[in-house]
């Protein structure tokens, strides 16, 4: 099942994607929450009602709505650094012995086909195509062999990075968390629909393939990441884990071709779909509301 969050003239709500059509769950299953985090918090009962409604008549054309990030405001966006061997090698670093974890702020989440904003404070804007894991159940100290009990599904994301701000301090947070710098989607593909052990991943900039690998090359796989993270703190419904990027980032290329206004970045993952985002210059100034 491909769960989406979408906006039309009526409101923002969740649905099930059927090709180019949407089953509106606010109509087909009106007693389930119509916001993704609340829906996931409602547990297996809500999921089964959505599954039963998924074959109802699709009433909305995909072309008539705006797709939003499947999880509008994830409680946490946890990310993994240096999780593909070839990416580690292109950075000149040593292979990590434990997962390198950092946070992206939840306000970085944005639409799968919306713009990503290049800040005027830097020119060193880079892309990182990644598979995202969406947590479905509140959990703690989950052993590897039980990871599938807590995963709601998977999605495509771009861990957009401002390299000079990332490297200015050891924690990386300031380079990873700019607004619009975590586009994700187009759907949350439920875990029963996809085997993520070997999915091809590609990142293209203006049609040129910059990154190409598959998820079998993850140094720390999804079960290991969930066991590691949940040992320290509670994972909650809607949390997103960005599993790391492969080789081919701009920072490691000759001439460091940073993203610039007008560039189009596309991230594709086999079985999960694709997101595509145009880079725009952020002309915004002070905002106080």
């Amino acid at each position: 099942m491909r769960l989406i969050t979408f906006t039309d003239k009526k409101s923002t709500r969740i649905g099930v994607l059927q090709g180019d059509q949407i089953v509106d769950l606010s109509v087909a299953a009106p007693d389930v929450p119509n916001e993704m985090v609340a829906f996931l918090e409602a547990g297996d009962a809500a999921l089964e009602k959505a599954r039963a409604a998924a074959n109802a008549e699709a009433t909305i054309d995909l072309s008539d709505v705006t797709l939003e990030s499947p999880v509008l405001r994830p409680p946490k966006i946890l990310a993994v650094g240096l999780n593909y061997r070839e990416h580690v090698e292109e950075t000149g670093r040593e292979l990590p012995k434990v997962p390198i974890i950092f946070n992206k702020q939840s306000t970085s989440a944005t639409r799968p086909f919306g713009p990503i904003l290049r800040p005027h404070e830097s020119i060193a804007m880079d892309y990182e195509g990644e598979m995202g894991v969406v947590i479905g159940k509140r959990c703690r100290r989950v052993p590897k062999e039980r990871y599938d009990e807590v995963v709601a599904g998977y999605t495509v994301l771009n861990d957009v990075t401002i390299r000079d701000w990332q490297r200015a301090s050891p924690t990386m947070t300031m380079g990873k968390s700019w607004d619009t710098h975590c586009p994700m989607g187009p759907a949350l593909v439920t875990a029963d629909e996809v085997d993520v052990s070997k999915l091809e991943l590609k990142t293209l900039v203006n049609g040129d393939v910059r990154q190409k690998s598959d998820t079998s090359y993850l140094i720390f796989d999804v079960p290991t990441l969930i066991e590691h993270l949940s040992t320290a703190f509670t994972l909650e419904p809607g949390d997103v884990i960005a599993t790391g990027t492969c080789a081919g980032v701009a920072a490691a290329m000759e001439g460091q071709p940073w993203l610039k206004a007008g560039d189009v970045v596309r991230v594709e993952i086999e079985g999960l779909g694709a997101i595509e985002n145009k880079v725009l210059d952020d002309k915004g100034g002070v905002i106080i509301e």
Side-chain angles (χ1 to χ4, degrees):
M1 187 163 56
R2 293 175 181 268
L3 294 165
I4 59 170
T5 298
F6 67 98
T7 299
D8 64 8
K9 294 178 182 177
K10 295 181 180 177
S11 62
T12 296
R13 53 201 191 274
I14 64 173
V16 178
L17 193 60
Q18 292 184 347
D20 293 332
Q21 301 283 313
I22 299 168
V23 175
D24 183 351
L25 287 179
S26 72
V27 175
D31 54 342
V32 304
N34 60 13
E35 187 275 329
M36 191 66 79
V37 172
F39 172 79
L40 295 174
E41 287 175 339
D44 292 339
L47 192 63
E48 288 311 310
K49 288 179 181 177
R51 204 180 301 283
N55 292 322
E57 182 182 2
T59 57
I60 301 175
D61 289 335
L62 184 59
S63 59
D64 290 338
V65 307
T66 298
L67 277 180
E68 309 287 353
S69 171
V71 185
L72 287 172
R73 184 67 67 87
K76 296 186 285 291
I77 301 176
L78 302 155
V80 188
L82 303 179
N83 204 19
Y84 283 81
R85 179 182 294 272
E86 290 183 350
H87 178 51
V88 177
E89 291 172 353
E90 73 178 357
T91 67
R93 305 273 294 275
E94 294 183 357
L95 288 179
K97 294 181 173 57
V98 296
I100 298 171
I101 304 298
F102 59 91
N103 288 82
K104 290 178 77 75
Q105 301 305 307
S106 61
T107 45
S108 66
T110 195
R111 303 198 302 262
F113 301 103
I116 49 178
L117 300 179
R118 193 185 75 143
H120 57 76
E121 290 88 352
S122 171
I123 62 166
M125 185 179 185
D126 209 344
Y127 48 83
E128 295 190 7
E130 305 189 12
M131 180 178 73
V133 182
V134 181
I135 296 298
K137 292 185 178 176
R138 184 178 172 85
C139 58
R140 182 80 195 276
R141 296 192 176 91
V142 181
K144 288 182 184 180
E145 60 271 20
R146 297 185 64 183
Y147 85 97
D148 56 344
E149 296 178 37
V150 306
V151 173
Y154 302 90
T155 193
V156 182
L157 64 81
N158 187 347
D159 173 19
V160 179
T161 302
I162 302 301
R163 292 294 182 200
D164 47 353
W165 284 61
Q166 175 196 8
R167 293 166 177 163
S169 65
T171 69
M172 299 193 285
T173 297
M174 291 300 289
K176 292 285 190 175
S177 293
W178 294 66
D179 288 354
T180 75
H181 286 192
C182 192
M184 68 178 83
L188 188 171
V189 180
T190 53
D192 60 311
E193 289 236 341
V194 62
D195 175 6
V196 300
S197 61
K198 185 177 174 62
L199 299 179
E200 185 180 76
L201 183 158
K202 287 196 295 185
T203 303
L204 303 91
V205 178
N206 302 327
D208 295 331
V209 176
R210 297 279 184 90
Q211 296 183 288
K212 185 175 181 180
S213 187
D214 73 66
T215 55
S216 69
Y217 291 102
L218 284 170
I219 296 171
F220 302 105
D221 62 11
V222 174
T224 301
L225 293 173
I226 288 177
E227 180 182 74
H228 182 71
L229 291 164
S230 70
T231 297
F233 48 79
T234 299
L235 295 175
E236 302 169 288
D239 282 351
V240 174
I241 304 170
T243 53
T245 203
C246 54
V249 297
M253 294 178 66
E254 185 72 26
Q256 296 182 323
W258 306 121
L259 295 173
K260 60 185 184 305
D263 286 345
V264 176
V265 187
R266 181 178 176 86
V267 182
E268 303 174 351
I269 300 182
E270 180 183 8
L272 301 182
I275 63 174
E276 188 169 292
N277 305 93
K278 188 172 183 177
V279 179
L280 300 179
D281 281 335
D282 185 354
K283 301 183 186 303
V286 176
I287 298 174
I288 301 175
E289 298 175 330

